[in-house]
Amino acid sequence: MKYGYFDDTKREYVITQPDTPLPWLNYMGSQAYFGLISNTAGGYSFYRDARLRRLTRYRYNNAPLDMGGRYIYLRDDNKATFWSPSWQPTRNKLDHYTCRQGLGYTTISSTYAQIEASTRYFVPLDETLEIWELNLSNQRNETAALSIFSSIEFCLWDAQDDATNYQRNFNTGQVEIEAGIIYHKTEYRERRNHFAYFACSEALTGFDTQREAFLGPYRAWDNPQVVEQGQAGNSEAHGWSPIGSHHVKVKLEPGETRRIIFLLGYYENPPDQKFDPPNSQIINKQGVKPIITHYLNGDHVQTAFAALASYWDKLLAKFQVATPNEHTNRMVNLWNAYQCMVTFNLSRSASFFESGIGRGMGYRDSNQDLLGFVHKIPDRARERILDIAATQLESGGAYHQYQPLTKKGNDAIGSNFNDDPLWLVLSVTAYLKESGDGNILDEMVPYDNQAGSEQPLYEHLQRSMQYTLERLGPHGLPLIGRADWNDCLNLNAFSAQPGESFQTTTNKEGKVAESVFIAGLFVLAANEMAALARVRNLDAEVRHYQDVAKTMQSTIMEHGWDGSWFLRAYDDFSDKVGSKSCAEGQIFIEPQGMCIMAGIGLESGEAQQALQAVNEHLATPHGIVLHQPAYSKYYLHLGEISSYPPGYKENAGIFCHTNPWIMIAEALLGNGNMAHDYYLRINPSAREVIGDIHRSEPYVYPQMIAGRDAATFGEAKNSWLTGTAAWNYVAITHWILGIRPTYKGLQVAPVIPQEWPGFEASRIFRGVTYKISVKRGGPGNKVSLTVEGQAIEGNVIPLLDKSEVIVEAMLW
Ligand code: GLC
Ligand code: GLC
């Protein structure tokens, strides 16, 4: 069952019914101002930080779901009926409905009582505002007299405080209404120098800014009193719940169309120029007024929308493919690339599943997100790397999260997730291979943002590696700390108190429990460090990293190999986790993927054995589960992993983030069929046809698909903000299609399904466009490369001084 279709030419997913199984989201904004928007116009907006600078309120877990958003009401003033053209919140039965989810914009169109309404929502590039462009058209053969009411509910900036601190909040709300523009200025009188504004292109019949006046006492958003009666109350909010609503009346002749523009935006004044006149309490609007005037002009809106479209043209052009598989093409060329941008921007902070309050930017998450993004805008990746590294601690350790607004590490969560530091090595080396910008390694970057502690970025990488070496356990494997990649494998928590955070509770000293996964990650990172040192001609460093990699590798083979697969860990009693000898949780996906990606067991056969075991024990038609058997009860010594019911999340769910590691591992062993088969199992486009089982958006990856132990096997949750986006992108583009950046040039080493006759790709790398055509001449993965008509040795295209390079690759 499908709820829409892909419009590949328009680069949109078209949702054809409003009551999708879950709200199907999209994101707006690319740099500082962001909003999430559902297919029925639900969602919220924020400036940089979904917690600290929230503009509007949103109630996800409401009944009905997805309440609060960018709602417009239309009222037939002759018949005194009203409806929501985006379906929510009135949920009238619409005669026709579509929602087009596009790149940074959402267009919701509907017809009701022969009034066609189409609203396009987007954030112009480099602006801190969003535009709602409403086009109305009268399909009746008589004049329509309509009232239009806009509506949003302001958040009092700190979303956490907004949702809890009512004794204060009910008193602080303040607005100004001037020339038909609604300004939200709660706390502007004291320490804030920012405000929000909500403007409309038309002359107003009225407005409202107090929620109760608009809705009426004890009424909800589906039935506002003002809309019902057809007359705004001109209410001014003093405390309680400030909202923004414009009331506009229009008369539309038969066939007539009308465009109405609404702007919602964020603006900051210099702290010493907050008020106008200076000794008043009135917002200084001199800076913001020209911006508002500019975007209330329809021509400027069209220009801004065109600029957004060409921005995406440029970004997507960095990598385009034509393969025999449409789901591969669609995800690589468009949706997966797009999702990588969104995860890069927002990490795990704000989605339908993440309230935007708790997480900020994850350290390990952001480093991984960068892997799928770096080729798009290397300069932004560079800036991100420096931000992340500046939160690193002198010990080489890392805050698990940091706030995007302050860029400071989050003390509430703290540190000691022992895998965290190593991911920095992967992101930095990915950036270096993509950009060739070795200077970044000499950038002086502080520790924990402390002035005076600056050291070159390269030193940060060295400390990241050292951090692991200084924390080895009884078997010589890395100590796990609070958790490794699997946030829920909490081997030192021993938490028996309800409500205690598994992430921050540590009841054990942490000197025993070890992670084979971190060991694998360490080897991978050490290999990267050795390769980097080689490029920099640091011979002693090359030897050092080769040595530590080799030692760790033999430790893994000695203590981390369970006979047919890699062990997961040793717990606080030094007992095995992820071993045949365990009652439950006998085999885990993570160490298989990570150790093989690090090259362990590739030649000696263990890698193939481990993948065989993954296939036998973990692979399902809906993807590969985290472990088997699932934990049937809570184990104090294992932590949160066993807190989830079997088949969900970290307890044997299909945690999609890890699946690409197995795809990469299969590709490293030359198994193109298997790698691509796994790729398709979780590919959202390929799962579109089972929309009633999958339930989440068919255009983006979810974090998790319920595993085979779950009652709802195959059901996806936590869409959008997941490391799955970056890793799938890396798996398909770097390893299956095999086009990957190296220090010396672009490498072409496809490991594709045998039945593919080949594929075409266009990749922009260091400013050069490579037109690559791959043809299969035999069943294998050996590559012969011809560059500009000349056969070359090996499979790395040398860096040439040209704008376009033609490459032919023959597989045999
Ligand atoms: C979530 C976290 C990520 C973690 C994963 C597995 O996706 O954001 O950091 O690795 O869960 O626990
Ligand atoms: C990760 C996990 C989740 C866990 C959370 C704790 O996101 O996916 O299961 O509860 O971390 O913050």
Side-chain angles (χ1 to χ4, degrees):
M1 158 115 197
K2 297 191 194 184
Y3 301 90
Y5 59 92
F6 285 94
D7 186 339
D8 292 325
T9 8
K10 289 217 173 107
R11 304 194 299 209
E12 291 172 334
Y13 189 83
V14 189
I15 301 167
T16 48
Q17 68 183 69
D19 51 342
T20 42
L22 292 166
W24 282 6
L25 291 192
N26 196 9
Y27 285 85
M28 307 189 286
S30 32
Q31 287 268 23
Y33 183 102
F34 298 102
L36 53 104
I37 179 162
S38 74
N39 58 311
T40 59
Y44 63 89
S45 300
F46 58 95
Y47 172 75
R48 287 193 193 277
D49 191 314
R51 167 165 175 193
L52 297 175
R53 289 291 155 85
R54 182 82 62 101
L55 266 83
T56 56
R57 284 186 182 157
Y58 180 49
R59 296 174 182 86
Y60 311 63
N61 190 10
N62 201 64
L65 283 175
D66 180 22
M67 188 43 61
R70 304 168 178 89
Y71 296 141
I72 289 169
Y73 300 86
L74 296 179
R75 181 176 189 275
D76 189 321
D77 284 337
N78 293 331
K79 298 188 190 125
T81 53
F82 64 93
W83 71 98
S84 302
S86 63
W87 192 61
Q88 286 252 61
T90 67
R91 294 186 302 283
N92 289 62
K93 193 173 170 358
L94 300 167
D95 298 323
H96 170 261
Y97 158 95
T98 57
C99 169
R100 291 182 166 264
Q101 301 290 30
L103 300 167
Y105 68 92
T106 291
T107 308
I108 304 177
S109 309
S110 66
T111 313
Y112 183 85
Q114 291 175 292
I115 301 296
E116 200 181 288
S118 178
T119 315
R120 186 163 70 183
Y121 300 90
F122 73 101
V123 174
L125 295 172
D126 304 320
E127 297 289 3
T128 60
L129 60 90
E130 66 189 62
I131 296 173
W132 314 357
E133 185 191 350
L134 167 67
N135 278 294
L136 281 177
S137 109
N138 178 11
Q139 294 171 353
R140 301 174 182 172
N141 41 29
E142 59 193 26
T143 309
L146 301 175
S147 272
I148 303 152
F149 296 90
S150 63
S151 79
I152 44 131
E153 187 173 354
F154 291 110
C155 176
L156 309 187
W157 303 115
D158 179 334
Q160 162 122 328
D161 205 57
D162 183 66
T164 48
N165 193 3
Y166 304 130
Q167 61 81 26
R168 173 176 164 84
N169 297 344
F170 286 163
N171 298 289
T172 51
Q174 286 193 303
V175 296
E176 267 178 42
I177 302 108
E178 192 191 293
I181 303 167
I182 296 166
Y183 297 87
H184 173 230
K185 60 165 191 176
T186 300
E187 292 185 350
Y188 190 75
R189 66 195 306 284
E190 29 128 345
R191 290 156 297 177
R192 296 189 185 273
N193 61 330
H194 47 264
F195 57 88
Y197 56 90
F198 191 33
C200 173
S201 59
E202 308 304 298
L204 302 189
T205 302
F207 61 86
D208 274 288
T209 64
Q210 182 58 275
R211 190 177 69 191
E212 200 190 37
F214 180 71
L215 297 181
Y218 292 93
R219 283 175 173 236
W221 292 97
D222 58 357
N223 189 24
Q225 191 165 48
V226 155
V227 179
E228 188 180 84
Q229 293 171 355
Q231 187 51 57
N234 294 347
S235 57
E236 199 174 315
H238 299 282
W240 299 113
S241 295
I243 63 157
S245 174
H246 309 97
H247 179 194
V248 173
K249 285 195 175 189
V250 295
K251 280 217 164 34
L252 290 182
E253 297 309 323
E256 192 184 341
T257 27
R258 181 75 65 84
R259 173 167 58 200
I260 296 162
I261 297 161
F262 297 97
L263 297 183
L264 173 65
Y266 169 93
Y267 195 76
E268 277 176 11
N269 272 328
D272 57 348
Q273 293 165 36
K274 277 169 59 169
F275 302 108
D276 182 22
N279 51 5
S280 75
Q281 288 290 299
I282 302 168
I283 300 175
N284 172 2
K285 306 181 184 82
Q286 288 176 32
V288 76
K289 277 278 179 59
I291 301 173
I292 297 177
T293 311
H294 182 84
Y295 285 106
L296 287 178
N297 173 314
D299 293 340
H300 297 156
V301 170
Q302 298 321 310
T303 312
F305 187 75
L308 181 65
S310 55
Y311 168 79
W312 274 106
D313 287 342
K314 275 212 202 95
L315 290 182
L316 295 177
K318 296 276 168 99
F319 196 72
Q320 288 288 301
V321 290
T323 78
N325 184 275
E326 70 164 340
H327 305 299
T328 306
N329 298 342
R330 200 174 263 154
M331 292 312 287
V332 171
N333 293 340
L334 191 63
W335 290 102
N336 191 184
Y338 178 49
Q339 188 179 2
C340 284
M341 167 66 97
V342 174
T343 57
F344 175 83
N345 283 333
L346 301 181
S347 185
R348 303 296 163 270
S349 65
S351 73
F352 183 70
F353 303 88
E354 295 288 356
S355 63
I357 289 174
R359 295 248 223 154
M361 309 290 282
Y363 191 95
R364 85 157 77 85
D365 295 327
S366 295
N367 280 304
Q368 290 172 82
D369 293 341
L370 198 136
L371 305 177
F373 171 83
V374 60
H375 66 293
K376 285 203 197 75
I377 314 179
D379 283 351
R380 283 192 67 201
R382 183 184 212 274
E383 188 190 332
R384 175 64 52 79
I385 285 170
L386 298 176
D387 283 350
I388 297 175
T391 69
Q392 192 180 20
L393 302 163
E394 298 220 14
S395 64
Y399 282 104
H400 196 47
Q401 292 157 4
Y402 72 96
Q403 285 306 129
L405 192 68
T406 61
K407 298 189 175 177
K408 293 261 164 67
N410 181 344
D411 285 314
I413 303 294
S415 169
N416 294 341
F417 293 76
N418 282 350
D419 64 313
D420 272 339
L422 294 170
W423 298 105
L424 183 68
V425 175
L426 299 199
S427 66
V428 171
T429 50
Y431 168 75
L432 289 168
K433 289 177 203 169
E434 181 67 39
S435 66
D437 162 32
N439 292 337
I440 193 176
L441 295 168
D442 304 322
E443 286 278 351
M444 296 299 280
V445 183
Y447 290 99
D448 196 7
N449 283 294
Q450 298 301 316
S453 66
E454 291 81 0
Q455 290 290 334
L457 180 64
Y458 187 66
E459 163 90 22
H460 283 253
L461 299 182
Q462 289 170 306
R463 290 201 196 178
S464 302
M465 300 300 295
Q466 203 51 34
Y467 180 88
T468 303
L469 292 174
E470 285 166 6
R471 286 164 185 77
L472 299 178
H475 299 92
L477 292 162
L479 292 169
I480 194 167
R482 289 188 180 164
D484 59 20
W485 171 87
N486 191 327
D487 271 340
C488 299
L489 192 60
N490 316 119
L491 303 180
N492 294 304
F494 284 77
S495 172
Q497 293 304 315
E500 245 175 19
S501 160
F502 285 107
Q503 312 289 290
T504 57
T505 305
T506 313
N507 281 317
K508 294 286 167 169
E509 247 197 297
K511 296 267 161 46
V512 182
E514 300 164 291
S515 162
V516 177
F517 173 83
I518 301 183
L521 177 59
F522 177 84
V523 175
L524 181 66
N527 293 342
E528 291 292 352
M529 287 299 284
L532 174 57
R534 195 171 299 121
V535 175
R536 304 192 94 203
N537 297 317
L538 303 170
D539 292 343
E541 291 270 309
V542 176
R543 275 195 305 278
H544 168 68
Y545 287 112
Q546 282 173 338
D547 287 349
V548 294
K550 215 165 132 206
T551 310
M552 188 63 79
Q553 182 157 338
S554 18
T555 309
I556 293 175
M557 289 323 299
E558 194 177 340
H559 299 292
W561 178 251
D562 198 50
S564 312
W565 56 76
F566 293 99
L567 264 185
R568 180 65 178 85
Y570 286 93
D571 65 20
D572 184 58
F573 310 106
S574 250
D575 288 338
K576 293 173 178 175
V577 179
S579 157
K580 285 197 267 313
S581 62
C582 300
E584 302 187 309
Q586 294 177 333
I587 170 172
F588 280 70
I589 190 174
E590 304 101 296
Q592 322 312 326
M594 193 45 80
C595 291
I596 298 172
M597 289 200 296
I600 303 168
L602 279 183
E603 257 112 67
S604 44
E606 289 88 353
Q608 188 59 55
Q609 247 181 302
L611 288 179
Q612 184 58 35
V614 166
N615 192 266
E616 267 167 38
H617 301 282
L618 303 179
T620 83
H622 293 294
I624 311 169
V625 300
L626 268 186
H627 61 265
Q628 283 288 288
Y631 293 111
S632 61
K633 57 180 191 213
Y634 177 56
Y635 292 94
L636 185 69
H637 67 289
L638 297 179
E640 187 171 2
I641 191 168
S642 59
S643 75
Y644 287 110
Y648 292 102
K649 293 279 280 183
E650 277 87 342
N651 189 9
I654 295 157
F655 218 96
C656 297
H657 185 151
T658 58
N659 280 222
W661 298 342
I662 300 300
M663 299 166 203
I664 296 171
E666 290 286 2
L668 284 168
L669 280 156
N671 306 326
N673 287 349
M674 209 56 238
H676 195 258
D677 179 353
Y678 286 143
Y679 173 74
L680 285 183
R681 292 186 202 195
I682 61 166
N683 179 305
S685 162
R687 295 176 65 76
E688 186 196 19
V689 289
I690 52 162
D692 44 341
I693 297 172
H694 186 76
R695 287 171 47 92
S696 287
E697 297 90 333
Y699 42 90
V700 287
Y701 285 97
Q703 178 201 63
M704 190 224 33
I705 298 173
R708 67 155 76 103
D709 304 282
T712 56
F713 184 29
E715 180 189 24
K717 276 187 204 153
N718 295 47
S719 60
W720 275 104
L721 301 186
T722 158
T724 312
W727 277 107
N728 269 285
Y729 194 79
V730 169
I732 186 73
T733 61
H734 288 192
W735 299 100
I736 299 177
L737 300 174
I739 300 174
R740 54 183 178 264
T742 72
Y743 293 110
K744 300 229 163 79
L746 200 59
Q747 188 165 18
V748 182
V751 184
I752 53 176
Q754 246 158 38
E755 75 203 27
W756 283 15
F759 67 92
E760 308 282 317
S762 169
R763 171 69 152 91
I764 301 177
F765 172 68
R766 302 196 196 175
V768 181
T769 304
Y770 293 86
K771 298 275 180 203
I772 303 167
S773 139
V774 176
K775 290 212 170 55
R776 200 176 255 312
N781 302 308
K782 296 220 178 65
V783 183
S784 306
L785 274 195
T786 310
V787 177
E788 293 284 284
Q790 300 281 314
I792 64 154
E793 283 286 310
N795 58 13
V796 177
I797 311 164
L799 296 165
L800 300 174
D801 192 15
K802 291 201 146 184
S803 61
E804 190 173 300
V805 173
I806 306 291
V807 181
E808 283 154 300
M810 182 62 82
L811 292 184
W812 47 281

